[in-house]
Amino acid sequence: EGMALAARTFGLVLAGGDTTRSTLAAINLTIIGEIESGQAMLRSGARQGNLICVSGTLGEAEFGLQLLQRSMHKSKKWKKLLRKHFYPQPRLELGHWLAKKGRATSMIDTSDGLSTDLMHLCESSGVGAKLWAAKIPKVIVPNDARKLGLDPLRLALDGGDDYELLFTVPKRLDRHLPRVIRGVPITVIGEITREKRILLVDDAGRMQNLPARGWEPFRK
């Protein structure tokens, strides 16, 4: 119902689904539109020194899913925390704004989770990245849920279905980048590096490799 609502909001028709795992090879190609030459926002434009930005809050949809899987959604106090999972809000207006203004050098959404989608962006651009854990806008997890092992940072890094935008901008444009665009908060969470590694920097300045642990349909 949530996907159907999102489709109606953007004038789309919800039809069918994807085959993500099968014993046979399957190819599904659908052409849904076109874009003016030079206007596409690609994954491949990130360059060393670019700042890494993200919209909204990360981990909210995954948190909702975790509540559902634990049957905690039946309590009234948890229901408002399920909204991001049930009713996705793709950031189309924000994407259009960034493309029109020419601020972003690369872009992807976080449908598969920050750690995985950042990997996709870096691989396409031939670069690495350094993320600052303290800067990542994380879902607020009540103490009751934290006792179940639901960590806000892990939810933000590896949880998917947020559909927030992950994009890069030249460092010189940082002061000109609004921190709220079309009503959506924008946060600088890291920097693109030349070395092809993705690192997470903790509050004490310690660095560790950040593995891609978001959604991967072919992972066993």
Side-chain angles (χ1 to χ4, degrees):
E1 290 176 356
M3 292 297 290
L5 176 61
R8 290 195 299 272
T9 301
F10 298 113
L12 304 174
V13 175
L14 181 62
D18 292 332
T19 300
T20 56
R21 183 179 298 174
S22 173
T23 56
L24 302 174
I27 298 176
N28 182 6
L29 176 64
T30 305
I31 298 174
I32 60 173
E34 58 184 337
I35 191 167
E36 294 180 17
S37 178
Q39 296 300 306
M41 290 303 311
L42 306 178
R43 304 177 181 185
S44 56
R47 298 292 179 263
Q48 179 185 1
N50 281 181
L51 297 177
I52 302 170
C53 305
V54 72
S55 65
T57 303
L58 301 181
E60 291 181 314
E62 177 67 19
F63 183 40
L65 176 61
Q66 294 292 332
L67 293 178
L68 286 169
Q69 291 176 337
R70 290 167 169 78
S71 297
M72 297 172 68
H73 62 289
K74 297 176 183 178
S75 172
K76 288 184 178 180
K77 72 175 182 177
W78 301 108
K79 284 191 175 180
K80 64 180 181 180
L81 303 175
L82 303 176
R83 184 166 184 81
K84 191 71 173 284
H85 178 71
F86 280 140
Y87 300 101
Q89 294 181 298
R91 303 299 190 186
L92 297 190
E93 286 192 18
L94 173 59
H96 291 162
W97 188 92
L98 289 167
K100 184 176 181 180
K101 297 293 184 180
R103 303 289 175 86
T105 54
S106 66
M107 191 186 303
I108 190 173
D109 76 0
T110 60
S111 55
D112 291 334
L114 175 61
S115 62
T116 293
D117 288 314
L118 179 59
M119 178 196 69
H120 293 322
L121 188 148
C122 287
E123 287 182 343
S124 295
S125 298
V127 295
K130 188 183 296 183
L131 288 185
W132 307 311
K135 297 290 187 180
I136 298 172
K138 310 171 205 47
V139 58
I140 296 175
V141 178
N143 289 332
D144 291 356
R146 287 184 184 235
K147 294 176 182 177
L148 300 175
L150 296 177
D151 174 42
L153 180 59
R154 293 317 319 176
L155 292 170
L157 288 172
D158 303 328
D161 288 344
D162 281 320
Y163 298 105
E164 298 295 348
L165 292 184
L166 175 66
F167 59 97
T168 57
V169 298
K171 189 174 291 186
R172 59 183 171 78
L173 295 182
D174 179 37
R175 68 170 70 180
H176 303 295
L177 182 69
R179 291 309 187 247
V180 177
I181 301 175
R182 297 290 192 266
V184 181
I186 304 297
T187 308
V188 177
I189 61 171
E191 186 174 349
I192 294 296
T193 60
R194 180 166 55 184
E195 186 179 4
K196 297 179 182 179
R197 298 171 60 195
I198 298 179
L199 300 173
L200 182 67
V201 184
D202 67 15
D203 295 353
R206 296 183 296 260
M207 293 185 290
Q208 60 180 323
N209 288 321
L210 178 63
R213 290 178 178 163
W215 172 248
E216 169 51 65
F218 300 108
R219 181 187 297 132
K220 293 184 179 180

